[in-house]
Amino acid sequence: MLYRYVGSCGIARCGSDVRGTPVTAPADAAKWITSAGGSRTPAEVTVTFVVTAEGALLVADRHSEHVACAGGRPVRAAGELCLALEGGRVTVTRVSNQSTGYCPEPETWAVVAAALRAAGLEPPDGFDPRCEFRRCEACGALNLVKCGVFECAGCGADLPCEYNAQTAAE
Ligand SMILES: [Zn+2]
């Protein structure tokens, strides 16, 4: 399944340039970690990532929007990655599906794991945190469901059990 951008930042404002850097081999990830640290290589860096419709893994600075990373295009998965460099070896220490722009389902894990393996990186056991997104049917707000409490943070209405972040009419 492809996830369209459903966040609040207009795609027009974000532009259609793909800002993400492709990661096709561990060396790409290693380069990213060393460049992020400047003179001092950090133990771990967190980056924004998307998996494109073609299955490519793109990463960007964690402060950038997923939609900018993907150039406004639909994605197969999105979230955050923690990468660590130890003795020249890149390890993926944590992966989440936290993207309020695309609201990907926890089921996108298979796509993410496959994209990491294709880049020569060993995926961890699953998403951490494993995010559930729901759109409030009462006020339309997108919610990141916390601690299994299906209640809208905006208006307090109950959130649906079924995933609905992508199905809202545009
Ligand atoms: Zn609401």
Side-chain angles (χ1 to χ4, degrees):
M1 133 148 202
L2 281 174
Y3 293 84
R4 284 174 300 108
Y5 178 70
V6 292
S8 50
C9 155
I11 287 177
R13 205 182 82 205
C14 295
S16 57
D17 293 340
V18 177
R19 307 262 174 82
T21 304
V23 174
T24 57
D28 294 334
K31 206 162 73 183
W32 185 271
I33 299 168
T34 48
S35 68
S39 56
R40 225 175 44 143
T41 302
E44 195 176 66
V45 294
T46 303
V47 297
T48 287
F49 80 90
V50 298
V51 178
T52 67
E54 296 77 27
L57 177 65
L58 302 181
V59 300
D61 182 272
R62 81 172 300 189
H63 301 295
S64 57
E65 290 265 354
H66 289 100
V67 66
C69 184
R73 291 167 178 76
V75 300
R76 293 177 67 195
E80 289 189 339
L81 278 177
C82 292
L83 301 168
L85 189 60
E86 258 184 308
R89 220 181 99 87
V90 178
T91 51
V92 181
T93 51
R94 205 167 63 79
V95 185
S96 79
N97 62 325
Q98 190 157 353
S99 166
T100 50
Y102 285 104
C103 300
E105 292 167 275
E107 287 71 24
T108 54
W109 174 251
V111 169
V112 176
L116 286 170
R117 285 199 186 95
L121 299 167
E122 186 58 35
D125 293 337
F127 286 130
D128 174 25
R130 184 179 183 274
C131 302
E132 292 268 6
F133 295 96
R134 293 291 185 277
R135 188 182 291 278
C136 175
E137 288 173 342
C139 74
L142 277 171
N143 281 266
L144 169 52
V145 177
K146 293 207 175 82
C147 310
V149 179
F150 284 71
E151 189 181 291
C152 177
C155 73
D158 286 344
L159 294 170
C161 298
E162 293 279 316
Y163 177 80
N164 68 346
Q166 285 283 324
T167 50
E170 295 245 317

